[in-house]
Structures are given as C-alpha cells and as structure tokens.
Amino acid sequence: MQGIEDLLQKYFSIKVIIEVLPFLLKGALLTIIFSASSEFFGIIIGLVASVIRVSKTKVISWFIIAYVDIFRGTPLLMQIIFTYYALPYVGINLPAPLAGIVALSLNSGAYVSEIFRAGIESIEKGQLEAARSLGMSYIQTMRYVIIPQTIRRVLPPLTNELVALIKDSSLLSVIAIAELLRTSKEMMTWKLNPSSLTAAAIIYLIITLPLTRLVGYLEKKLKKGES
Amino acid sequence: MIKTVDLHKKFGHLHVLKGINLEVNKGEVMVIIGPSGSGKSTLLRCINLLEDATSGRIYLEDQEITSPGINKNKVRQRIGMVFQGFNLFPHMTALGNVTIALIKVLKMRKEQAKHIGVKLLTKVGLKDKIDSYPSQLSGGQKQRVAIARALAMNPDAMLFDEVTSALDPELVKEVLDVMKDLARSGMTMLVVTHEMGFAKEVASHVIFMDEGLIVEEGLASEIFEHPKHPRTKTFLDAVLY
C-alpha cells in the first residue's frame, strides 16, 4: 500500500492544490483568453480563406492552398517558435502574447478554412443556382444564402476546433506565456510536488468538457432539423 | 423576347446542344418536351446564364446576353427561373424567400418588399403560410413559394425546369394551376415539362427536342395529334400511354 500512499501524496495532495489554485486560475484565465481570441481570429481568417478557395479564383486560391498546407503540415510548436524568435530578423518584432495569438490564429485559421470549405461544399448546388437566378452576385449569394446555412452545419466541428485550440494553447509556454500548463509546471518546481499538474488537468477538463458535450447536443439538434 | 441563334453547349466531349434556334415572343408560352438527356434543361440554364454557351448567341429583347461584357446579374434579374428541386432557402420563411432578392439586390425598403411578398404569396394561394419555413411546407407549397420568389423580381420572362417532376401526383395540379394563371396573365414563359395536358391547354408553341436538336416545332394541337417526325411519334406514344 506504500505505492498508493506515495501516489496520493505526490499527485493528489489537497494541501498543495489549495495553495497553488489561485495561481492556476490566473493561468487558466490566460488559456481561455488566448484560445478564445485565437478562435475568433481563426474563424475570420478561415472564413475568408474558404470563400476565396471555393470561388476558384486561381492565383489567390493557390496562396490559400499553400497557407493551409504549411500550417496544417508543420508542428504548431514550430510555428510559435518561428513567429516569436525568427520574425524579428525580418523586422517584425512581436511581443510574446501577440506572437502567440498570431501563431495560434494562423494555425487555427488553416483548420477552420477546411471546415468551412467542407461546409460550403456540402450545401446543395441548387441553393447557389437559385440565388444567382434571382440576380444576386456571388458575394451576396455567399453572404445571405450559403454562409448562414454553412454556419449551422459547421458549428460542431468548429467547437471541436476550439477544444483542440484550448489544449494546443499550452504550447505557448515555450515563449514564456504563463498560461495554465506553464503555471502548473512552475508551481510543481516551487512546491517540489506535481499535484499542481493534476489540478491543471482537472481545470482543462472543466473548460473542455462542457464544450465537447455541446458538440454532441448540436449534432443531435442538427440531425433533427434536417430530417 | 427571347431568341437563340445556333446555340451550342459542350461539356467536355459531350455535345449537349447542337445548334438551337428558337424564338419566344412576348406573352407566349413555349413548352419544350423531349426524352431525358435531350438538352432541355441545359437550354434553359444557358438562357439564364447559369451555363455559358459554348457558341452561338442568345438575345433578350434586342440585347445580346451572350456578349462578353454583359452584366449577368442584371440579366438574371429579368429572367425568373423555377427549378425541379424547389431550391428554397431553408433558413428563411416563405416571405423571407420571396423578399430576399428585393431587399438585397434591388435595395428595396423592407416594408415595401414585404408588401410585394405578401401580395405574391397570396396570389399563389399561400397567404396563411408566409411565416412558415420550407421544412413545414408540402412539395406543392414549396414550388408555389419558388414561383412567387421568381416573380418578385418582376421578370420579363419565366423559365420552368420540370417543376412538377419531383412532386407527388396529387400536388401537381396546384402548381400547374398557378402556372396557368400566370400564362393567362400574359407572362412570357419557357416551360420544360412532361405535363401534356398543361401543354395542350396553355402552350402557344411546342418544341420537341432530341439529342441536342429541335426535331419538331409547332402548335400544341399539331404536335400532339399529328406529329410529323417519327421520333416525336415514338416519344409521344411512350409518354401518353
């Protein structure tokens, strides 16, 4: 039974957890701020990118494809490091929080653009034709007919993307942003006890679980609405 | 009103329209019949510029709408189209469907658009459904909303692409009745349909198309009762009996 006592003492020390909790909550707040703002900008980037992509405007589409390929095909950690440490050499000096949001938003935008593209392409072609036959321009058709229908369909995958982003934002710890994971690691060193990691894990779950449940609910509702 | 001159359309190697010459005068109802794959729908879609003709010209009034610099959106505002699959916007009410183009394309004030929308939905017999969403409507009701939606732009001509083909038999009549009223009110119409009764009753002209060509053209009574071409005969025998 010695093993279990050690485990409890090391990873589940209530005393330590209570002591570090205020710091962790601050970290959690940063995690939420960073992921929410990156999701926000990611959606704007992704929406614009996907609309350009499906419009089949050749040259810009290639840029979009290259962007999506690069940001989905390389590690996010690398993108964060490049944004913060490499960009200053070309004269772009971003403070760490801004560099973090830029890197996360661009990364998220690449994924979101694919989500939107799939969503737009899932709308029946007849919708576009009906709108165009009324004299609507391509932009008007997208704005009033296609995108509103797309948003309903992509809400579940977008929420999933937000969950992924919340976890991925922990990578910002490499550029010294005191989000939840970094804070909990610092607390671990301070208290010489890793219970703060456990506490951080629970906080991550408290943030993400409602979101993953929301996805399930949205999917069910969507299915009902379309039948 | 609408005239096509030597109209061709190719999809890759597939030659769908092989030189169509037709003319619909103002107030006329032209019915296009023919076996599936004969190019009827493609013809309508070319006229509405949903497809670019490969060669040939299309005129609306005296304006060539196939010329390169043409504003397609402006042309489409003048030609209404109703589709086999309704294509109503599912996130808008019946009234929303009918008024969206008025508000966003013509920049009409909402109250004015609503006034027109209610008038048109009343005309197609759906006054009590203005706030219903497409999912709450039957197929026949959906198609009548679609007709009202196309009429809202006050078009010079209307194109109907097999608009009753996706309907349950008992719902066909309510849609055809709306179309008959429209024909009697003097609307210029191009109608692709298999409803021979409708064609006999309201068509000024009937065109029989096969394999991308107009095989036979004439008054409804001539074509239906005394088809000259053997292919027309074969088709009518198959459809009517």
Side-chain angles (χ1 to χ4, degrees), chain A residues 127 129 132-133 140 144, chain B residues 45 76 88-89 91 104:
Chain A
Q127 292 288 312
E129 292 182 342
R132 298 309 300 270
S133 79
Q140 285 171 333
Y144 302 114
Chain B
R45 296 163 61 80
R76 294 198 189 102
L88 290 184
F89 308 135
H91 57 302
K104 299 305 177 189

Side-chain angles (χ1 to χ4, degrees), chain B residues 139-160:
Chain B
Q141 291 169 334
K142 282 184 202 172
Q143 199 58 295
R144 285 186 279 154
V145 174
I147 293 172
R149 176 174 69 177
L151 286 173
M153 295 300 281
N154 196 18
D156 298 330
M158 290 274 285
L159 312 177
F160 293 85

Side-chain angles (χ1 to χ4, degrees), chain B residues 45-231:
Chain B
R45 296 163 61 80
C46 283
I47 292 173
N48 202 19
L49 306 180
L50 285 175
E51 303 283 357
D52 290 319
T54 308
S55 69
R57 297 186 302 278
I58 304 170
Y59 294 89
L60 177 61
E61 305 273 17
D62 289 325
Q63 188 184 20
E64 190 195 335
I65 59 175
T66 35
S67 67
I70 200 87
N71 182 337
K72 289 184 179 180
N73 298 332
K74 283 269 184 303
V75 171
R76 294 198 189 102
Q77 287 172 35
R78 297 172 54 197
I79 307 176
M81 182 149 180
V82 186
F83 303 85
Q84 180 177 349
F86 324 126
N87 300 341
L88 290 184
F89 308 135
H91 57 302
M92 299 175 195
T93 61
L95 187 63
N97 268 276
V98 178
T99 54
I100 179 76
L102 293 174
I103 296 166
K104 299 305 177 189
V105 179
L106 299 184
K107 314 285 179 206
M108 194 179 277
R109 279 185 300 113
K110 278 214 174 93
E111 313 85 76
Q112 200 187 346
K114 189 180 170 188
H115 180 73
I116 294 176
V118 171
K119 203 175 77 187
L120 284 170
L121 284 169
T122 308
K123 188 172 161 187
V124 299
L126 293 171
K127 189 169 190 250
D128 53 335
K129 298 288 181 191
I130 54 174
D131 292 324
S132 301
Y133 283 87
S135 59
Q136 300 164 317
L137 300 174
S138 72
Q141 291 169 334
K142 282 184 202 172
Q143 199 58 295
R144 285 186 279 154
V145 174
I147 293 172
R149 176 174 69 177
L151 286 173
M153 295 300 281
N154 196 18
D156 298 330
M158 290 274 285
L159 312 177
F160 293 85
D161 189 6
E162 299 203 31
V163 296
T164 56
S165 301
L167 296 177
D168 291 333
E170 76 272 21
L171 303 176
V172 169
K173 186 176 175 294
E174 63 188 58
V175 173
L176 290 181
D177 283 345
V178 168
M179 290 167 68
K180 283 176 198 166
D181 282 347
L182 199 56
R184 289 193 195 103
S185 73
M187 175 60 77
T188 309
M189 293 162 64
L190 236 90
V191 185
V192 170
T193 186
H194 294 302
E195 297 295 333
M196 300 304 156
F198 172 82
K200 278 183 192 165
E201 201 172 323
V202 299
S204 334
H205 277 83
V206 173
I207 280 178
F208 173 68
M209 271 180 79
D210 194 16
E211 295 181 354
L213 284 168
I214 294 177
V215 175
E216 194 167 342
E217 179 176 3
L219 297 173
S221 53
E222 289 171 16
I223 299 251
F224 289 129
E225 273 137 47
H226 312 287
K228 292 187 191 73
H229 202 284
R231 278 197 298 199

